[in-house]
Amino acid sequence: DAKTTQPPSMDCAEGRAANLPCNHSTISGNEYVYWYRQIHSQGPQYIIHGLKNNETNEMASLIITEDRKSSTLILPHATLRDTAVYYCILISGYSTLTFGKGTMLLVSP
Amino acid sequence: DSGVTQTPKHLITATGQRVTLRCSPRSGDLSVYWYQQSLDQGLQFLIQYYNGEERAKGNILERFSAQQFPDLHSELNLSSLELGDSALYFCASSAPGGLETQYFGPGTRLLVL
């Protein structure tokens, strides 16, 4: 019962921007879009989240479409250490984390 | 390094056995969460404790139990183990606030043979 859809894999050249898409066409008004990543068999790591405005932090930028039905995580200058599985999830109120399959991002030299 | 520690890193055991996984939260964090990650199920929330009390329960089997001690470390007990319990078990801790304050430990990889 996935509420988000992500491509299973993406490639990116080192130093270039990585743009990871996420579709969430049934998002509710009180649901935030959260992004996490998981480097091989390590614990998940929080990246960024947003409700409807675009957000930026030291790790990434999050672009949410005006209708909130999709979003894009942008890693502006991908490095080899950004190779990981990236998860887009919807969260409202007090909630806990349940991840789907995510997108495997491979950053190559 | 998230500041959350988990022991052991790896555990191999047989079906029917019982194991205990241990988690030490980040200094000052009162909440501890346990998650299970298997290849076919993804990351699933099991249970949360806050300052020694159970706060939320997810898809935790009756064969599994957990507790949080006065020093805030937590243990996850898995009994009558089955092959399907083989997975990565993550502990996370958080301070009050949003999910962005939740930090995950390195995990314990359990293999049931």
Side-chain angles (χ1 to χ4, degrees), chain A residues 83-94:
Chain A
T83 292
V85 179
Y86 288 77
Y87 299 97
C88 166
I89 56 178
L90 305 182
I91 296 174
S92 63
Y94 174 79

Side-chain angles (χ1 to χ4, degrees), chain B residues 64-92:
Chain B
F64 296 0
S65 65
Q67 55 184 327
Q68 186 179 27
F69 295 87
D71 67 352
L72 301 178
H73 91 271
S74 178
E75 293 180 355
L76 179 67
N77 299 296
L78 316 176
S79 62
S80 303
L81 285 167
E82 302 175 358
L83 297 178
D85 298 326
S86 296
L88 265 170
Y89 291 84
F90 288 106
C91 168

Side-chain angles (χ1 to χ4, degrees), chain A residues 94-106:
Chain A
Y94 174 79
S95 185
T96 54
L97 299 174
T98 298
F99 294 176
K101 301 261 188 220
T103 296
M104 174 66 218
L105 175 67
L106 177 62

Side-chain angles (χ1 to χ4, degrees), chain B residues 8-19 21 36-37 39 78 81-89 108-113:
Chain B
K9 286 192 187 308
H10 303 277
L11 198 49
I12 302 175
T13 188
T15 55
Q17 295 298 305
R18 172 189 169 97
V19 297
L21 313 184
Q36 178 193 57
Q37 186 173 36
L39 281 175
L78 316 176
L81 285 167
E82 302 175 358
L83 297 178
D85 298 326
S86 296
L88 265 170
Y89 291 84
T108 292
R109 185 176 294 277
L110 174 66
L111 179 59
V112 182
L113 299 176

